[in-house]
Amino acid sequence: MSAAAHTHAELMDGVYRYQRHVYDLTRKYYLLGRDRLIEALDVPAGGTVLEIGCGTGRNLVKAARAFPQAEFCGLDISAEILETASMTIGRRGLSGRVTLACGDAADFDPQALFGRPGFDRVFVSYSLSMIPEWRRTVAAALAAVNDGGSLHVVDFGRQERLPRWSKTALRGWLAKFHVSPRDSLRDILESESRRVGKSLTFVSLYRGYAVYSVLTKP
């Protein structure tokens, strides 16, 4: 892990040291579109799924229940929040189907971390807006998708159809949690989809509050 990644890991550990205990209770009100992403994963029987920036494990638990014949992996840079994820997954009786690893989303080796060269589905839910090297993370996520698989992304949008005061207030509040909406996300996803020959679906949700994207590899 690079020096920059170590610095980010320390920051995230500090952020989540206490927040992790109330994270799911508070985030459900404004991390919109997560369940839509999970429902649309359409994981084949025996398929494999990776969540990048898995946090507390909330999404992994929901996805594992939705697709009981699939195997799941979760990656996060914060060892603190992975402790919570491990406990949550254990309490739900899913430890045999969900593997967790601590690592840098912008530079990871799925074979070394999870014993797999790639995954049928990779998803990133409200994590790109917290990862400094988010463009590299998009490239790393695509590299981890098997042929015939797909990358699913949901995150904050540009809020272009929200009132100006609402957008300003939202972004000011998010900044307190080290969250920065990526206004060029669509451009990067389009560029990456052309580079690797994937088709891209990009949908703006809730007047631009959030965006949902799927990149499919033929």
Side-chain angles (χ1 to χ4, degrees):
M1 192 180 297
S2 68
H6 275 295
T7 299
H8 184 56
E10 291 174 354
L11 173 63
M12 291 298 98
D13 279 343
V15 167
Y16 291 124
R17 184 160 293 120
Y18 302 107
Q19 280 192 41
R20 63 194 175 103
H21 300 296
V22 296
Y23 185 93
D24 290 333
L25 290 174
T26 57
R27 267 55 174 187
K28 67 180 181 180
Y29 297 108
Y30 64 89
L31 299 187
L32 308 179
R34 294 183 297 173
D35 292 345
R36 173 176 177 161
L37 180 154
I38 291 169
E39 291 167 3
L41 287 174
D42 192 25
V43 187
T48 55
V49 183
L50 169 67
E51 180 179 13
I52 295 176
C54 64
T56 62
R58 179 263 187 196
N59 294 332
L60 286 171
V61 167
K62 194 171 185 68
R65 286 175 167 173
F67 304 101
Q69 294 181 310
E71 297 293 323
F72 292 82
C73 295
L75 175 70
D76 205 284
I77 202 167
S78 171
E80 290 279 349
I81 209 164
L82 283 175
E83 287 185 13
T84 296
S86 181
M87 289 187 291
T88 298
I89 290 164
R91 285 197 300 267
R92 302 300 190 275
L94 295 169
S95 296
R97 292 178 51 219
V98 181
T99 303
L100 302 174
C102 188
D104 181 6
D107 183 18
F108 68 95
D109 181 350
Q111 184 69 54
L113 290 175
F114 303 108
R116 299 179 184 277
F119 300 85
D120 300 309
R121 303 288 185 270
V122 176
F123 71 98
V124 192
S125 171
Y126 285 95
S127 293
L128 293 179
S129 52
M130 296 190 73
I131 298 173
E133 296 286 345
W134 68 274
R135 293 176 180 84
R136 289 180 59 209
T137 297
V138 172
L142 282 170
V145 177
N146 291 333
D147 290 344
S150 53
L151 168 65
H152 301 245
V153 177
V154 66
D155 215 311
F156 292 105
R158 298 175 62 184
Q159 297 95 42
E160 67 276 8
R161 297 192 303 280
L162 294 179
R164 182 175 297 179
W165 67 265
S166 177
K167 176 179 178 178
T168 300
L170 173 64
R171 293 195 171 210
W173 181 70
L174 290 174
K176 297 180 184 296
F177 300 96
H178 307 282
V179 176
S180 300
R182 307 306 186 186
D183 290 341
S184 60
L185 177 58
R186 182 169 191 166
D187 294 337
I188 297 302
L189 292 176
E190 288 178 343
S191 175
E192 286 296 310
S193 68
R194 289 192 297 269
R195 182 180 66 83
V196 299
K198 289 181 180 290
S199 62
L200 171 68
T201 299
F202 191 95
V203 181
S204 179
L205 306 174
Y206 317 113
R207 303 182 67 186
Y209 178 90
V211 292
Y212 168 59
S213 304
V214 181
L215 292 90
T216 304
K217 191 171 184 179

